[in-house]
Coordinates of all heavy atoms in Angstrom, one line a residue:
V9 N -47.4 -132.5 46.6 CA -48.0 -132.2 47.9 C -49.3 -131.4 47.8 O -50.2 -131.7 48.5 CB -46.9 -131.4 48.8 CG1 -47.6 -131.0 50.1 CG2 -45.8 -132.4 49.0
D20 N -58.7 -140.6 49.2 CA -59.1 -141.5 50.2 C -60.3 -142.4 49.6 O -60.4 -143.6 49.8 CB -59.7 -140.8 51.5 CG -60.1 -141.8 52.5 OD1 -59.3 -142.7 52.8 OD2 -61.2 -141.7 53.0
L27 N -56.7 -154.4 50.5 CA -55.5 -154.9 51.2 C -54.9 -156.0 50.3 O -54.5 -157.1 50.9 CB -55.8 -155.4 52.5 CG -54.5 -155.3 53.5 CD1 -54.2 -153.9 53.7 CD2 -54.8 -156.0 54.9
S45 N -42.3 -150.9 67.0 CA -42.7 -149.6 66.5 C -42.5 -149.5 65.0 O -41.4 -150.1 64.5 CB -41.9 -148.4 67.2 OG -40.5 -148.6 66.9
D99 N -36.2 -135.8 59.9 CA -35.5 -136.2 61.2 C -36.4 -136.2 62.4 O -36.7 -135.1 63.0 CB -34.3 -135.2 61.4 CG -33.5 -135.7 62.6 OD1 -33.8 -136.7 63.3 OD2 -32.4 -135.0 62.9
V108 N -42.1 -148.5 56.6 CA -42.8 -148.7 55.4 C -42.8 -147.5 54.5 O -43.2 -146.5 55.1 CB -44.3 -149.2 55.7 CG1 -45.0 -149.5 54.4 CG2 -44.2 -150.5 56.5
A113 N -42.6 -142.7 48.1 CA -41.4 -142.2 47.5 C -41.4 -142.2 46.0 O -40.6 -141.6 45.4 CB -40.3 -143.0 48.1
N122 N -32.5 -140.5 45.6 CA -31.1 -140.8 46.0 C -30.8 -140.4 47.4 O -30.1 -141.1 48.2 CB -30.2 -140.0 45.1 CG -30.0 -140.7 43.7 OD1 -30.1 -141.9 43.6 ND2 -29.8 -139.9 42.7
G151 N -48.5 -139.2 34.6 CA -49.8 -139.7 34.3 C -50.9 -138.7 34.6 O -50.6 -137.5 34.7
W153 N -54.6 -138.3 37.0 CA -55.5 -138.8 38.0 C -56.6 -137.7 38.3 O -56.3 -136.6 38.5 CB -54.9 -139.1 39.3 CG -55.7 -139.4 40.4 CD1 -56.5 -140.5 40.5 CD2 -56.0 -138.6 41.6 NE1 -57.3 -140.4 41.8 CE2 -57.0 -139.3 42.4 CE3 -55.5 -137.3 42.0 CZ2 -57.4 -138.7 43.5 CZ3 -56.0 -136.8 43.2 CH2 -56.9 -137.5 44.0
A175 N -26.2 -148.0 52.5 CA -26.8 -147.5 53.7 C -26.8 -148.5 54.8 O -27.3 -148.3 55.9 CB -28.3 -147.1 53.4
L179 N -30.6 -157.1 51.6 CA -31.9 -157.4 51.0 C -32.5 -158.7 51.4 O -31.7 -159.8 51.3 CB -31.7 -157.4 49.4 CG -33.0 -157.5 48.6 CD1 -34.0 -156.3 48.9 CD2 -32.6 -157.6 47.1
D188 N -49.3 -160.5 42.0 CA -50.2 -160.7 43.1 C -50.4 -159.5 44.0 O -51.1 -159.5 45.0 CB -49.8 -161.9 44.0 CG -49.7 -163.2 43.1 OD1 -50.7 -163.5 42.4 OD2 -48.8 -163.9 43.3

Side-chain angles (χ1 to χ4, degrees):
V9 173
D20 184 52
L27 207 66
S45 59
D99 184 0
V108 175
N122 284 326
W153 171 70
L179 189 61
D188 298 320

